Amino acid sequence: MSQKIRKFPKDFLWGAAVSSYQVEGGIDHCDWSEKFPAGRACDYYHKYEEYFDLAKELNQNVHRFSLEWSRIQPNEGKFDRKEIEHYRKILRALKKRRIKSMVTILHFTLPIWLSEKGGLHNARFPDYFESFTRFVTEELDDLVDFWVTINEPMVYLSLGYIEGRFPPQKKNLFLTPLVFINFVKAHKKAYKAIHSINSNAKVGTAQNYCFSEAYNKRSFVNMILVKISNFITNNFFSKFVIKYSDFIGVNYYFHNRIKFTPFSFPFVKIDNENKKVSDMNWEIFPKGLYFVLKDMKKYNKPVYITENGIADTKDEKRFEFIKDHLTWMHKAIKEGVDVRGYMYWSLFDNFEWDSGFAKKFGLIEIDYKNNLKAEIRRSAYDYAEICKNNSL
Ligand code: BGC
């Protein structure tokens, strides 16, 4: 693409995202704690002011973070006021710096008491989620700018119930419809609960969107498989919740080139070119963001990029990654998609779930061996220029 200046819409939001278990530290009451301990993580629980100062220095005006359910509701019948006060302090610290807040209610972690009852596949999960949502909304809503009910329901479902990598580590296809339905119900109930407390609240989900294309565009079966894949990953959940969404949150990391393999089970394979990959070995494919955004246009809702980022220890590819994705995002905006903000994943290095601390997504480097010393990476300064100028 050419070297012209690309302006973004007025009041565009620029920032980065984190989630509780990945950064806070000291969480020992959730379903991840025992098998995948994150220890003190990045000690965000105590150091959030320091991190927000860095975000401010990087010209960011929005911050996405999540609430840790196991802190706020450590037992079924008990809400912990001290922890609510803690999250109020975080929200006030953002307000003080004029950084808008996007608060995720559920980002992959459940309190132990709930996971022991079956968690997501307990038929009462939507009620538990509704009551938790109602409580946090009553306590925090005056300080919150955007609510995200559930982070990446389809990823939760596939990694937790099909691949068995994330808690509850099931490989049980039969449970997936129940979990899916529970997510839909939980979102709807939460949406209504938040709106009953504040009719002006902005409530959405953050879903993982993938751009799939056919390995062989002349193969009819291959093209059908791609349609199915794009529908299931990008549109299936939305079909049920879009009426109950004030905005669409897009997490974009993936492109899949799907190959039909008639002679080998399960007859499909992902076969990417992988010319450029991240440290996670994920193919870097910025144009996919454009296709995903264009597809979102039909829903006619504001869109926020709630996550987009790269694991890149050497910080050699990060800025190009950001710039290229923003270039394609800009093209989608020019073509009428109502994108209103971009949140890079992640503000700083953190606990990358079952990959541990080795994968470095951060704009800010964390030195785990040196008392969590935080150092801004070169790419972050370059991204900060875009945030400051609202142009690329
Ligand atoms: C999740 C984050 C995760 C990131 C990178 C997203 O799917 O929401 O929690 O760290 O991807 O894997």
Side-chain angles (χ1 to χ4, degrees):
M1 280 194 185
S2 64
Q3 282 304 307
K4 59 182 184 205
I5 293 193
R6 298 178 179 85
K7 274 297 257 171
F8 290 93
K10 194 170 161 287
D11 299 327
F12 199 82
L13 295 180
W14 294 104
V18 297
S19 89
S20 58
Y21 194 67
Q22 295 179 272
V23 300
E24 282 187 5
I27 299 173
D28 51 15
H29 260 77
C30 83
D31 53 350
W32 282 77
S33 315
E34 208 174 294
K35 281 209 175 143
F36 303 93
R40 66 176 173 162
C42 314
D43 201 20
Y44 177 91
Y45 190 79
H46 298 106
K47 289 168 67 134
Y48 59 89
E49 298 244 22
E50 185 189 317
Y51 292 129
F52 296 169
D53 283 341
L54 295 175
K56 189 74 199 166
E57 188 183 331
L58 292 170
N59 306 317
Q60 300 187 7
N61 57 11
V62 64
H63 178 70
R64 177 175 171 230
F65 71 99
S66 73
L67 304 176
E68 180 53 36
W69 192 342
S70 67
R71 281 191 197 281
I72 299 176
Q73 195 178 7
N75 301 307
E76 183 173 354
K78 185 183 165 221
F79 289 104
D80 190 334
R81 295 228 59 85
K82 183 172 81 359
E83 298 297 349
I84 276 293
E85 195 39 50
H86 169 77
Y87 287 108
R88 286 192 67 81
K89 280 192 200 144
I90 292 191
L91 288 161
R92 279 195 219 105
L94 289 171
K95 274 239 174 316
K96 197 172 114 200
R97 291 167 179 80
R98 300 220 180 120
I99 298 177
K100 289 205 184 296
S101 55
M102 185 174 275
V103 178
T104 308
I105 300 173
L106 183 66
H107 196 126
F108 293 167
T109 55
L110 292 181
I112 287 183
W113 64 263
L114 181 51
S115 71
E116 281 173 350
K117 285 175 181 283
L120 302 175
H121 59 273
N122 178 328
R124 289 189 54 211
F125 172 76
D127 300 324
Y128 288 119
F129 188 65
E130 178 190 25
S131 110
F132 177 63
T133 301
R134 196 170 277 288
F135 178 74
V136 295
T137 310
E138 270 159 2
E139 298 293 330
L140 305 175
D141 184 72
D142 57 319
L143 298 169
V144 173
D145 293 294
F146 301 91
W147 289 102
V148 168
T149 56
I150 302 168
N151 181 66
E152 298 188 345
M154 298 304 273
V155 171
Y156 216 145
L157 202 126
S158 70
L159 299 188
Y161 285 84
I162 300 175
E163 289 186 34
R165 282 172 43 198
F166 285 15
Q169 296 188 295
K170 302 254 181 240
K171 291 186 181 174
N172 186 341
L173 264 186
F174 296 107
L175 285 176
T176 57
L178 176 60
V179 176
F180 181 85
I181 292 167
N182 271 354
F183 272 139
V184 171
K185 284 189 186 161
H187 170 78
K188 283 189 189 172
K189 279 175 178 270
Y191 180 89
K192 287 182 192 161
I194 300 172
H195 275 274
S196 72
I197 294 163
N198 172 7
S199 55
N200 294 319
K202 296 190 198 79
V203 186
T205 53
Q207 294 184 55
N208 182 58
Y209 291 87
C210 170
F211 169 60
S212 298
E213 56 181 341
Y215 181 83
N216 178 357
K217 295 197 171 67
R218 277 178 301 188
S219 148
F220 178 71
V221 184
N222 212 156
M223 292 305 277
I224 293 289
L225 286 173
V226 165
K227 280 222 172 307
I228 295 172
S229 162
N230 274 330
F231 177 72
I232 293 179
T233 38
N234 300 348
N235 285 293
F236 193 40
F237 191 72
S238 296
K239 289 274 172 230
F240 293 91
V241 301
I242 197 71
K243 274 205 212 138
Y244 304 86
S245 300
D246 304 314
F247 65 87
I248 297 174
V250 170
N251 294 359
Y252 174 76
Y253 294 92
F254 296 114
H255 160 247
N256 284 336
R257 202 168 58 161
I258 294 180
K259 190 175 189 176
F260 174 49
T261 53
F263 304 111
S264 98
F265 187 76
F267 313 120
V268 279
K269 186 174 148 199
I270 292 167
D271 190 330
N272 288 350
E273 272 188 292
N274 285 341
K275 282 192 191 142
K276 285 187 194 166
V277 293
S278 72
D279 293 350
M280 302 286 283
N281 250 333
W282 295 347
E283 186 188 35
I284 301 172
F285 199 83
K287 195 176 178 180
L289 178 60
Y290 166 77
F291 287 114
V292 163
L293 291 174
K294 290 288 283 201
D295 187 35
M296 291 302 107
K297 195 166 175 226
K298 60 184 179 240
Y299 294 123
N300 209 8
K301 301 263 173 167
V303 175
Y304 293 86
I305 310 297
T306 34
E307 284 180 34
N308 172 236
I310 179 172
D312 176 23
T313 305
K314 295 192 184 139
D315 200 38
E316 282 169 345
K317 302 175 185 167
R318 186 170 285 104
F319 185 58
E320 189 180 320
F321 176 98
I322 295 176
K323 203 167 49 104
D324 291 349
H325 281 82
L326 293 181
T327 303
W328 284 106
M329 179 181 89
H330 184 267
K331 184 167 160 61
I333 296 173
K334 280 275 148 263
E335 293 172 16
V337 188
D338 184 8
V339 186
R340 299 190 183 179
Y342 175 89
M343 279 150 266
Y344 176 81
W345 182 272
S346 175
L347 181 56
F348 44 89
D349 295 339
N350 58 50
F351 183 77
E352 177 51 29
W353 304 113
D354 57 349
S355 305
F357 288 102
K359 304 295 178 208
K360 317 281 188 194
F361 279 87
L363 290 169
I364 297 167
E365 183 181 350
I366 299 295
D367 189 345
Y368 298 101
K369 293 198 188 106
N370 186 9
N371 205 20
L372 303 177
K373 189 165 165 277
E375 197 164 322
I376 297 180
R377 291 196 161 104
R378 177 69 254 159
S379 55
Y381 287 114
D382 293 337
Y383 173 50
E385 279 303 294
I386 299 177
C387 304
K388 184 170 103 199
N389 300 329
N390 198 31
S391 67
L392 171 67

